Amino acid sequence: MKILLVIVFFVSCGFNLCGQSRAMRHLFKDKPKNLSLFINPTIQYTQIIQQNCLVPGIRAGVIINKKVALGGVYEFTMNDIIIPVTRGGGKLGMKSAGALFEYTIWPLRKVHLTIPISTGIGQLKITESLNNITAGNPYFFFAQPGLMIEINSWKYTKV
């Protein structure tokens, strides 16, 4: 019986030693993080005036409680869109900027859903036009909803 008590004592001491958390050694203290920053390059494919176009951009902001993200977005056309001569000719470029709101469903799972909504203002610019007359307002407002499937690939990255 004494041997059994000694074995139980040593095993329980071992559990106590192994159960304690290790002290982290880095610049920032280990506190629950309710806020984290993100920066996200984007690229979209679309057609404008029946021409293929790439629209790269960047999104950045703050993630609150791993579910809600608030930030900004900036996008522009990578290649110039050729305007037909019947419409006055020239090249069309576009850029836009605005606010971003995202909600993430099941953020701690490896694969989860994110619902982004961005809204803001954009500008169309015509260059090398045959007639220097532009019709309409070159500024526009946009609202762009989306649905993304994300994969938590590492502690600090998502694909």
Side-chain angles (χ1 to χ4, degrees):
M1 185 70 170
K2 290 181 183 180
I3 295 174
L4 182 61
L5 287 173
V6 171
I7 292 172
V8 170
F9 176 76
F10 277 55
V11 170
S12 65
C13 288
F15 284 138
N16 287 336
L17 293 176
C18 294
Q20 295 175 2
S21 62
R22 213 172 32 144
M24 299 296 285
R25 299 187 190 278
H26 50 74
L27 293 176
F28 304 104
K29 294 181 180 180
D30 284 340
K31 292 183 179 178
K33 295 180 182 176
N34 295 332
L35 294 176
S36 57
L37 302 175
F38 75 93
I39 188 163
N40 178 12
T42 63
I43 190 155
Q44 297 178 19
Y45 166 81
T46 189
Q47 285 191 340
I48 300 175
I49 313 176
Q50 299 176 347
Q51 296 177 37
N52 298 331
C53 183
L54 289 176
V55 183
I58 192 156
R59 304 177 328 151
V62 174
I63 301 173
I64 304 166
N65 290 332
K66 298 184 182 183
K67 285 192 174 191
V68 176
L70 302 171
V73 61
Y74 176 76
E75 297 175 331
F76 59 95
T77 53
M78 182 173 271
N79 49 332
D80 290 327
I81 295 116
I82 307 298
I83 301 172
V85 178
T86 57
R87 299 283 183 176
K91 295 180 181 179
L92 177 70
M94 186 266 309
K95 58 185 174 181
S96 62
L100 172 71
F101 173 79
E102 269 186 20
Y103 182 76
T104 302
I105 302 170
W106 312 302
L108 299 178
R109 292 190 181 179
K110 286 189 180 186
V111 178
H112 56 268
L113 293 174
T114 300
I115 303 167
I117 298 172
S118 55
T119 182
I121 189 167
Q123 178 187 19
L124 296 171
K125 186 173 182 183
I126 298 174
T127 58
E128 300 178 20
S129 177
L130 297 176
N131 57 4
N132 292 327
I133 301 170
T134 58
N137 189 350
Y139 297 100
F140 61 91
F141 293 101
F142 71 92
Q144 184 179 20
L147 181 63
M148 298 188 304
I149 297 174
E150 292 182 338
I151 300 170
N152 290 335
S153 58
W154 186 51
K155 186 177 179 180
Y156 300 109
T157 61
K158 297 178 186 177
V159 178

